[in-house]
Amino acid sequence: MSSSETDEPQECPLCRDDAPIELPAYETWLQCDLCEEWYHGICVGISASECECIDKYHCRKCAETHGPSSYKGPALRRSGRGHAEVDYNKLNEGQPATFNQYLLRLESGEFAEDEFEHLSDGSTVTADWIRSRDTNDPFIVDSATGLGMEMPDPSVTVKDIAAAIGKDTAVSVMDVLTQDELSGWTMGTWADYFHSTNRRRVLNVISMEVSDTDFGAKIRRPRVVDELDLVEKYWPEAKRKPNKFPRVKTYCLMSVQNAYTDFHVDFSATWVYYHVLS
């Protein structure tokens, strides 16, 4: 087994004709220790981090007669979240390789009526009002009027966001199938992938902090979020220096169709406000 980077994008035996091999996700390679054929890690469903843990790699064909690949130890993953079983035969054929019950439920369209409290607008949504509620159940604000919220125009594209943030800005990209992080991506390569009509894999961006960017300047959170933000309220002014002040204020999530994140537990006392722009 070996992993390497090539100077020029090259195809492997499992690449489809429309495979975006110029993307960073295709820079990691695996060589079968039996037939000595080379494959992209992403094409066989193995992340760069897991490649480093493989002792002897057997491709799908060789595994049929010589058994599966062997590991130096437990197969490491960059994410601590549980991983679904992968059907590699389907994966090699370019088909979805996991059975995702949540996507199937969403596609069924069978949803019960919500029983949450509805507010006509956000004029009464204050920190005091939230503290006075006798429940922790979610509530729905039917109109953003009164929330003090500002958002970019819904027509904004990922290419627009890349131009505002900087095309060379590094971004953490997740492979939805394995829930592994893919390194080497920039906003420029992510925008190219997002706007492509031939996506071989379903990828996701869920941790792009934009508060100190030109794009972030167009965003204003609901007033109540600022009122309850512990960092905004209690972080000492004298310590609000660049690279030392926590940048956890505003995130831009960018997902393609069928992207999802496995259930997970956030840090203690964390709460998140989401707004779907488009």
Side-chain angles (χ1 to χ4, degrees):
M1 188 283 296
S2 177
S3 62
S4 64
E5 294 185 358
T6 57
D7 294 329
E8 296 294 335
Q10 297 181 17
E11 295 182 350
C12 80
L14 297 181
C15 281
R16 298 174 62 180
D17 292 339
D18 58 355
I21 59 174
E22 72 281 357
L23 296 181
Y26 285 81
E27 292 178 354
T28 298
W29 290 77
L30 278 168
Q31 184 183 33
C32 177
D33 285 282
L34 295 172
C35 67
E36 299 186 346
E37 184 66 77
W38 285 89
Y39 299 92
H40 290 122
I42 193 172
C43 289
V44 294
I46 299 178
S47 67
S49 55
E50 191 171 355
C51 284
E52 299 303 321
C53 301
I54 295 178
D55 181 36
K56 298 291 184 181
Y57 173 67
H58 296 172
C59 69
R60 181 170 59 89
K61 291 182 179 179
C62 292
E64 294 176 357
T65 54
H66 296 276
S69 305
S70 61
Y71 289 80
K72 302 172 186 176
L76 298 180
R77 297 182 173 95
R78 294 187 180 184
S79 169
R81 300 168 184 155
H83 286 227
E85 290 295 324
V86 177
D87 184 334
Y88 290 103
N89 290 326
K90 288 186 177 180
L91 181 64
N92 291 336
E93 295 170 1
Q95 301 177 24
T98 59
F99 175 79
N100 191 289
Q101 57 177 314
Y102 311 113
L103 290 178
L104 293 178
R105 289 179 181 177
L106 288 173
E107 290 171 354
S108 71
E110 298 177 358
F111 303 102
E113 292 293 331
D114 75 76
E115 299 179 353
F116 303 130
E117 179 179 4
H118 281 252
L119 303 175
S120 59
D121 59 45
S123 59
T124 62
V125 182
T126 64
D128 289 338
W129 177 80
I130 288 179
R131 295 189 185 102
S132 69
R133 299 179 77 221
D134 58 2
T135 177
N136 288 322
D137 288 347
F139 59 90
I140 298 175
V141 182
D142 294 323
S143 170
T145 303
L147 283 174
M149 181 176 69
E150 296 179 6
M151 287 288 161
D153 190 281
S155 64
V156 68
T157 67
V158 174
K159 288 186 177 180
D160 295 332
I161 297 173
I165 295 176
K167 293 183 178 180
D168 294 330
T169 301
V171 61
S172 175
V173 174
M174 177 184 289
D175 185 318
V176 169
L177 175 63
T178 62
Q179 295 291 293
D180 281 330
E181 179 183 342
L182 304 177
S183 61
W185 284 71
T186 65
M187 277 302 302
T189 54
W190 170 251
D192 290 340
Y193 161 82
F194 192 95
H195 289 284
S196 171
T197 57
N198 297 310
R199 306 188 194 102
R200 177 173 172 79
R201 300 292 287 247
V202 179
L203 306 179
N204 204 6
V205 168
I206 61 172
S207 58
M208 185 68 190
E209 217 286 340
V210 299
S211 58
D212 292 337
T213 68
D214 291 342
F215 182 69
K218 300 178 180 179
I219 301 171
R220 184 173 180 178
R221 304 182 299 180
R223 178 182 57 255
V224 67
V225 178
D226 287 329
E227 292 177 2
L228 296 172
D229 190 328
L230 297 180
V231 173
E232 287 291 325
K233 290 176 65 68
Y234 299 111
W235 197 270
E237 289 289 343
K239 294 186 177 181
R240 299 193 181 196
K241 299 178 181 179
N243 301 323
K244 293 185 178 181
F245 185 60
R247 297 180 68 240
V248 293
K249 185 175 182 179
T250 307
Y251 288 85
C252 178
L253 283 62
M254 295 168 279
S255 304
V256 298
Q257 184 178 11
N258 292 334
Y260 65 90
T261 305
D262 282 349
F263 286 111
H264 58 281
V265 178
D266 283 333
F267 294 111
S268 176
T270 297
W271 67 288
V272 182
Y273 170 85
Y274 287 98
H275 175 76
V276 179
L277 183 63
S278 63

